[in-house]
């Protein structure tokens, strides 16, 4: 993995970096919520964490682009990051491709039923290992679709697209950045799956950690 300072160094060296960033800290999601917690906010501590994350990227505020899933916690996270960067009036478009209409879901209702017994991590880790799971699309094909979609919209030097841990983890596993996940190594709040575009046109991937988000992963 890489720390935020590493991302800043790449940006200064002329790379473009798209961060697909997990939202900040939120309350617990009820397993019986078919919207996957769509209306849940981030916590007050989560707001502070996201503002602190944004402050670390303040020098790139003139060339940053935001996008968020339509869920409240991702929109709030993006707004707090923008505030930390000193651009609180930034336009933050939303797209459900970063949310519940993710290419990783073949059938959103089937996924909800799969997770309803509280076995989220067991089912997700099985999907990441096998590349297939009830209700889910093929892992590699979905990752290709997400990357193509994101890069088609990424026009700035720094992109911060706020999304959800399942999609971050799936992307990092499919791209070989993280060979396998455990509960201890799962994607933390404000951690990012990064697509790094070099000046020569080459592309690589990284897990970017956020020290602001040490703590609960649930």
């Amino acid at each position: 993995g890489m720390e935020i300072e590493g991302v800043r160094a790449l940006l200064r060296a002329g790379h473009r970096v798209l961060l697909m960033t997990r939202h900040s800290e939120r309350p617990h999601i009820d397993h019986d919520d078919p919207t996957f917690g769509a209306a849940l906010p981030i916590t007050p501590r989560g707001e502070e964490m996201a503002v602190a994350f944004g402050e670390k990227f303040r020098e790139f505020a003139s060339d940053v682009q935001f996008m968020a899933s339509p869920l409240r916690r991702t929109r709030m996270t993006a707004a707090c990051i923008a505030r930390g960067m000193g651009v609180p009036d930034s336009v933050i478009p939303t797209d459900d491709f970063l949310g519940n209409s993710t290419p990783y879901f073949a059938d959103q209702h089937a996924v909800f039923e799969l997770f309803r017994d509280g076995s989220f991590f067991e089912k997700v880790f099985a999907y990441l290992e096998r590349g297939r799971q009830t209700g889910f699309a093929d892992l590699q094909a979905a990752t290709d679709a997400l990357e193509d979609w994101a890069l088609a919209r990424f026009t700035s030097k720094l992109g911060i697209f706020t999304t959800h841990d399942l999609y971050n983890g799936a992307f990092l596993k499919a791209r070989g950045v993280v060979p396998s996940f455990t509960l201890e190594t799962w994607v933390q709040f404000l951690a990012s799956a990064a697509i790094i575009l070099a000046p020569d046109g080459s592309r690589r991937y990284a897990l970017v950690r956020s020290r602001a988000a040490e703590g609960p992963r649930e």
Side-chain angles (χ1 to χ4, degrees), residues 66-98:
F66 297 97
M67 190 171 281
S69 100
L71 279 68
R72 187 178 176 194
R73 59 187 178 274
T74 42
R75 289 185 287 111
M76 285 181 71
T77 298
C80 288
I81 293 171
R83 196 163 85 226
M85 288 184 73
V87 285
D89 298 326
S90 292
V91 174
I92 301 170
T94 61
D95 197 301
D96 206 33
F97 216 68
L98 293 169

Side-chain angles (χ1 to χ4, degrees), residues 36 102-117 119-120 122-139 166:
F36 303 101
T102 174
Y104 291 111
F105 291 174
D107 181 336
Q108 188 180 320
H109 180 72
V111 171
F112 166 66
E113 291 298 329
L114 191 69
F115 292 161
R116 199 169 186 173
D117 62 359
S119 62
F120 173 85
E122 178 190 329
K123 303 285 174 53
V124 167
F125 292 160
Y127 172 52
L128 299 188
E129 288 306 313
R130 295 198 297 262
R132 295 192 173 277
Q133 175 68 282
T134 304
F136 284 85
D138 175 79
L139 180 67
L166 171 51

Side-chain angles (χ1 to χ4, degrees), residues 4 11-12 22 30 35 45 53 55 57 76 101 117 136 139-141 147 160 171-172 174-175 180 196-197 208:
I4 285 175
L11 291 165
R12 291 180 197 126
R22 186 187 179 190
D30 188 331
T35 72
R45 177 173 177 261
F53 180 98
E55 286 170 351
F57 288 110
M76 285 181 71
S101 294
D117 62 359
F136 284 85
L139 180 67
Q140 293 294 340
E147 183 169 352
I160 299 174
F171 189 93
L172 291 163
R175 289 294 177 256
S180 65
I196 301 161
L197 305 172
V208 179

